[in-house]
Amino acid sequence: MPTERDRPPQTRWNHPGLTLCLGAIMGAAALIGGEPVVGLALFAWFGLCAGAVAVATARSEWFRETFEADERWSVADMRAGRLAAVAMLTVLVAGLVYELARGHTLDPVATLALAAGGLTYTGAQVILSRRL
Amino acid sequence: MVNDVRQLRAKRGLSQGQLALELGVSRQTINSIENDRYTPTLNLAITIARFFDKPVEEVFHANGTG
């Protein structure tokens, strides 16, 4: 029977590393878009967040264990993700309705996000309902 | 869902951290299970029961079934 031990090991650098990568991507995007100051500011902000997480993980047992990947963490992660998705969808739908009411056309990124969300949900339901 | 994990762990003289290490989960997970705040997956429930050499139903009880 597979156990939690079979998962790839998660080090304390996973979260800071991911945050830093995200900052680098956003910073590079801003740089390409001709906004070097915004790019640097974004990278610095994400770097600061990554550093804070790294320090907190090293110094706080509570913080370290909170982000230790096991099944309880996975459940919390899944519920947090669901709440975040609901919040994002609410803002997106409300924003689109507001923009429509003002006589504006739909924002392409927001429309794409809604379409991607809807398709992902439908696809996941179909696949998961067959697998589970 | 209630359980006897705390009593079984105490009988073995293990700390929450030691049991967590044996089961490959975090200490907080053991703490949450013992305080009935978190119901483990079937996989972890079986792993816990096996660790204590007990059937699952002797370690975990649906509310009201003692």
Side-chain angles (χ1 to χ4, degrees):
Chain A
M1 180 175 8
T3 68
E4 296 298 315
R5 286 170 196 243
D6 298 330
R7 290 182 178 203
Q10 178 154 347
T11 72
R12 71 189 183 95
W13 299 108
N14 284 29
H15 287 97
L18 192 68
T19 308
L20 205 59
C21 282
L22 198 60
I25 290 168
M26 293 183 87
L31 204 65
I32 291 166
E35 296 283 355
V37 178
V38 174
L40 275 174
L42 275 170
F43 184 65
W45 171 249
F46 275 80
L48 201 68
C49 291
V53 171
V55 169
T57 309
R59 294 194 174 180
S60 159
E61 186 200 358
W62 177 86
F63 202 89
R64 189 165 51 247
E65 289 198 339
T66 297
F67 285 95
E68 208 170 299
D70 65 359
E71 66 164 52
R72 182 174 143 276
W73 188 89
S74 299
V75 169
D77 186 45
M78 197 165 61
R79 288 181 186 172
R82 199 165 54 195
L83 276 175
V86 168
M88 282 174 68
L89 277 174
T90 305
V91 171
L92 271 175
V93 171
L96 286 174
V97 169
Y98 177 71
E99 287 297 306
L100 281 173
R102 289 175 65 206
H104 293 170
T105 52
L106 302 181
D107 178 69
V109 176
T111 310
L112 187 67
L114 274 174
L119 286 173
T120 304
Y121 180 82
T122 309
Q125 273 286 11
V126 169
I127 293 167
L128 291 174
S129 63
R130 286 182 182 177
R131 284 190 179 180
L132 294 177
Chain B
M1 184 76 75
V2 293
N3 65 79
D4 300 332
V5 173
R6 188 188 297 277
Q7 294 88 327
L8 291 165
R9 175 178 62 77
K11 264 189 197 171
R12 291 266 180 112
L14 293 170
S15 68
Q16 287 185 344
Q18 287 168 326
L19 180 60
L21 203 64
E22 289 290 337
L23 300 174
V25 297
S26 69
R27 187 189 58 79
Q28 288 182 342
T29 295
I30 299 297
N31 185 265
S32 291
I33 291 170
E34 287 187 357
N35 288 302
D36 302 324
R37 283 199 311 267
Y38 174 66
T39 301
T41 60
L42 186 58
N43 192 39
L44 181 56
I46 291 171
T47 306
I48 292 171
R50 281 186 181 170
F51 179 79
F52 290 118
D53 299 317
K54 300 238 178 226
V56 176
E57 62 269 28
E58 280 189 25
V59 181
F60 296 92
H61 320 281
N63 286 341
T65 61

